[in-house]
Amino acid sequence: MYTQNGIGKMRMYDAEPTVLSAFENSGVEIIVGVTNQDIQTLASSEDAAAQWFNTNIKPHYPAANITYISVGNEILPADQVNAPLLFPAMQNLYAAIQVAGLDSEIKVSTAHSMAVLGNSYPPSAGAFSAQVADTMKSILGFLAYTGSPFMINVYPYFSYSSDPKDILLDYALFLPTNPVVDGNLTYNNLFDAMVDAVFSAMGALGSPNVPIVVTESGWPSNGTDDATISNAETYNNNFIQHVLSSAGTPKRPGQSIESFVFAMFNEDQKPGAITEQHFGLFYPDTKLPVYPVNFTLH
């Protein structure tokens, strides 16, 4: 389905061997995930991290085009067990990749939610929360040293749905509306404002040049008044065109932002809010599209 639809990248949240085998020789670039449950093991020693890498990655690489490994997903700030283990786990995994001689090909990072920011508005005042600042400074130094990206999950939907009085729906959907001005920068959509808040936060900790990869973004097609097929189709198509256009953001114009749509399929059995089941672009049973999506720049 990926190659048929012109999708050149995929994010996995684990290292499921049958999936990696299925994507061998496809050319699709893959982010492989270390599960949150495996972080403690990787943090325990370099040998443990090497065993994880040799078991889960080496049998499939380079036939499977693995470009990044994300150590966990959205650990900071809420996961009090894994938060102090996250950076050691990243260091140990990087050491294992170095030993394998693949540190130029496979980069190590970790995916964050926007909850790591203590302030996101205006974008120029973006800052990490005090709770995560020390750990984040270590992670950013590691990313800069290893040439790895900062991974962030960016959802204008959640920002809009939590504050619909102050955020216009059209602004969240990449539709024409009154811009938001921040100093000498003008924002025409919420996504750019959120990403630039992260750039500002990184700069405030002394790492302004680490690139960003948006590891999740999307819009649900059911579950609330604003979670509709029409809005999801509008957001995801406009989002894809925006990140493929190399327009960048007002703070980083002309720089394309490597990005991933969440998710490929609806998740009918996922617990929680109804919206959580309806972020998919395709139905899991029929593999038919929930709505039309253009994955190529036009």
Side-chain angles (χ1 to χ4, degrees):
M1 286 190 68
Y2 280 77
T3 53
Q4 289 174 346
N5 287 283
I7 303 171
K9 301 174 186 289
M10 176 182 73
R11 181 183 176 191
M12 298 173 58
Y13 291 83
D14 55 21
E16 173 57 47
T18 56
V19 176
L20 286 171
S21 294
F23 278 86
E24 289 179 4
N25 304 309
S26 68
V28 173
E29 297 179 13
I30 303 169
I31 299 177
V32 173
V34 174
T35 66
N36 293 358
Q37 292 75 20
D38 283 338
I39 288 176
Q40 187 172 358
T41 299
L42 267 65
S44 65
S45 69
E46 289 185 9
D47 286 344
Q51 183 175 352
W52 185 93
F53 181 78
N54 292 334
T55 299
N56 292 287
I57 303 300
K58 284 192 75 174
H60 302 282
Y61 187 86
N65 189 13
I66 299 164
T67 54
Y68 305 124
I69 300 175
S70 173
V71 179
N73 183 56
E74 299 187 348
I75 296 298
L76 302 175
D79 189 336
Q80 299 301 312
V81 174
N82 283 319
L85 304 175
L86 178 59
F87 183 50
M90 295 171 68
Q91 290 178 302
N92 288 343
L93 182 57
Y94 175 71
I97 295 174
Q98 270 191 311
V99 170
L102 296 173
D103 49 299
S104 295
E105 286 78 31
I106 301 175
K107 299 299 182 179
V108 175
S109 188
T110 181
H112 304 283
S113 76
M114 291 293 290
V116 296
L117 295 187
N119 186 68
S120 60
Y121 185 83
S124 60
F128 292 111
S129 69
Q131 183 179 358
V132 306
D134 287 345
T135 301
M136 200 63 77
K137 190 162 188 175
S138 298
I139 289 174
L140 286 168
F142 168 86
L143 297 178
Y145 175 76
T146 60
S148 303
F150 185 88
M151 294 179 169
I152 186 77
N153 300 335
V154 180
Y155 284 98
Y157 167 75
F158 289 123
S159 296
Y160 165 75
S161 63
S162 66
D163 190 14
K165 290 184 178 179
D166 293 319
I167 299 174
L168 295 177
L169 178 61
D170 285 354
Y171 185 63
L173 293 175
F174 294 92
L175 294 174
T177 186
N178 293 330
V180 173
V181 177
D182 179 14
N184 62 346
L185 299 179
T186 299
Y187 289 89
N188 293 304
N189 63 79
L190 181 54
F191 174 83
D192 282 353
M194 296 172 73
V195 171
D196 275 0
V198 178
F199 275 126
S200 294
M202 291 163 56
L205 289 185
S207 297
N209 298 317
V210 173
I212 281 178
V213 171
V214 174
T215 36
E216 291 180 18
S217 192
W219 196 284
S221 59
N222 193 11
T224 68
D225 289 344
D226 299 305
T228 65
I229 286 179
S230 176
N231 285 346
E233 178 180 354
T234 298
Y235 177 82
N236 279 320
N237 277 286
N238 287 342
F239 165 65
I240 290 168
Q241 292 304 305
H242 182 64
V243 298
L244 290 178
S245 71
S246 298
T249 68
K251 198 172 181 69
R252 295 287 189 276
Q255 298 182 16
S256 62
I257 304 169
E258 187 174 358
S259 301
F260 293 76
V261 177
F262 183 88
M264 190 69 169
F265 296 103
N266 277 340
E267 299 174 276
D268 297 342
Q269 306 304 315
K270 190 173 184 178
I274 294 175
T275 52
E276 291 294 323
Q277 301 176 6
H278 293 278
F279 274 90
L281 304 179
F282 295 87
Y283 293 106
D285 47 357
T286 64
K287 306 298 188 293
L288 292 172
V290 179
Y291 46 82
V293 178
N294 190 333
F295 296 99
T296 57
L297 183 64
H298 63 81

